[in-house]
């Protein structure tokens, strides 16, 4: 088996273990067992466990970034009302978050852990810088677009975890509820419709 394939499988195993056992219980032994790969290979593919965790998060963060960028052009379809564009964009990202339970739960657990601020926060901010640029024109000059988009992500992750933990339903009514909560909290920062659509 080639090293790239081993690395890919180890990342997959890390996602599975973190999602189901949590970061504290995600030992190299557990990940080795989950992947049927000798634990020694972890240290051939990664510097250490922290490096494996951060590379796993990078993989998930890149997937999320690619998804957000794939759908961002809907925000520039000026023939639609701005709220409609926001709903369509939100729905695409929401469905992505709900599309894979293990990936979503691993992302959340790492994102809210000390590992994120120590190892990944700066890379995350750089990765999403192009998305900030795409959205800047929609917001008032004084708005902190990075903070607003972080708020949106935090709320989406919180609600998505509730669905994955079977605390809330995965249906259109709940999707609309989540959108309404988010839209109500950020619409005050949008330029007026005339400015947004110019």
């Amino acid at each position: 088996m080639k090293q790239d394939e081993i690395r890919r499988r180890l990342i997959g195993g890390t996602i599975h273990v973190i999602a189901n056992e949590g970061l504290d219980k995600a030992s190299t032994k557990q990940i080795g067992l989950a992947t049927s790969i000798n634990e020694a290979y972890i240290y051939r593919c990664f510097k250490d466990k922290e490096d494996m965790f951060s590379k796993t998060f990078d993989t998930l963060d890149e997937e999320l970034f690619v998804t957000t960028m794939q759908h961002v052009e809907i925000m520039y379809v000026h023939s639609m009302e701005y709220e409609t564009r926001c709903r369509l964009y939100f729905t695409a990202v929401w469905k992505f978050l709900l599309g894979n339970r293990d990936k979503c739960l691993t992302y959340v657990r790492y994102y809210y852990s000390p590992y994120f601020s120590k190892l990944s926060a700066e890379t995350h901010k750089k990765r999403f810088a192009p998305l900030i640029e795409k959205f800047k024109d929609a917001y008032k000059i004084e708005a902190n677009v990075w903070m607003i988009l972080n708020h949106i992500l935090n709320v989406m992750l919180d609600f998505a975890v509730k669905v994955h933990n079977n605390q809330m339903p995965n249906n259109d009514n709940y999707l609309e509820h989540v959108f309404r909560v988010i839209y109500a909290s950020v619409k005050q920062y949008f330029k007026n419709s005339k400015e947004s659509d110019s």
Side-chain angles (χ1 to χ4, degrees), residues 59-125:
T59 299
L60 298 176
D61 204 38
E62 183 66 22
E63 280 189 43
L64 179 59
F65 170 70
V66 168
T67 298
T68 59
M69 291 300 285
Q70 279 176 343
H71 298 283
V72 76
E73 293 308 318
I74 194 72
M75 301 304 297
Y76 294 87
V77 180
H78 299 301
S79 58
M80 288 189 286
E81 290 183 359
Y82 197 74
E83 183 176 338
T84 302
R85 288 181 253 164
C86 288
R87 180 181 281 102
L88 290 170
Y89 183 73
F90 164 81
T91 299
V93 179
W94 175 253
K95 288 184 176 178
F96 172 77
L97 290 176
L98 294 189
N100 188 302
R101 175 189 175 274
D102 281 5
K103 287 182 176 183
C104 183
L105 292 182
T106 297
Y107 189 97
V108 168
R109 287 179 170 165
Y110 185 93
Y111 184 69
Y112 292 115
S113 77
Y115 291 112
F116 176 76
S117 54
K118 178 183 175 183
L119 303 170
S120 305
E122 286 305 311
T123 304
H124 170 74
K125 192 168 185 177

Side-chain angles (χ1 to χ4, degrees), residues 28 81 104 114 128 153-154 160 163 168-169 176-177 188 192 195:
T28 54
E81 290 183 359
C104 183
F128 279 84
L153 176 61
N154 282 313
V163 173
M168 297 303 291
E176 180 63 18
H177 167 72
Q188 62 184 306
N192 65 48
E195 289 174 315

Side-chain angles (χ1 to χ4, degrees), residues 4-96:
D4 285 350
E5 174 63 14
I6 293 171
R7 184 184 174 93
R8 185 187 65 76
R9 283 180 56 188
L10 287 169
I11 286 175
T14 303
I15 290 168
H16 178 75
V17 172
I18 291 174
N20 292 283
E21 304 294 335
L23 278 163
D24 291 342
K25 294 183 180 178
S27 65
T28 54
K29 183 178 181 179
Q30 283 288 93
I31 292 162
L33 289 171
T35 56
S36 300
I37 293 173
N38 189 302
E39 191 179 347
Y41 279 98
I42 290 171
Y43 298 96
R44 295 181 190 177
C45 296
F46 305 97
K47 294 176 191 172
D48 51 29
K49 187 170 82 167
E50 282 191 352
D51 184 49
M52 182 169 61
F53 284 176
S54 68
K55 295 298 191 302
T56 297
F57 177 79
D58 283 346
T59 299
L60 298 176
D61 204 38
E62 183 66 22
E63 280 189 43
L64 179 59
F65 170 70
V66 168
T67 298
T68 59
M69 291 300 285
Q70 279 176 343
H71 298 283
V72 76
E73 293 308 318
I74 194 72
M75 301 304 297
Y76 294 87
V77 180
H78 299 301
S79 58
M80 288 189 286
E81 290 183 359
Y82 197 74
E83 183 176 338
T84 302
R85 288 181 253 164
C86 288
R87 180 181 281 102
L88 290 170
Y89 183 73
F90 164 81
T91 299
V93 179
W94 175 253
K95 288 184 176 178
F96 172 77

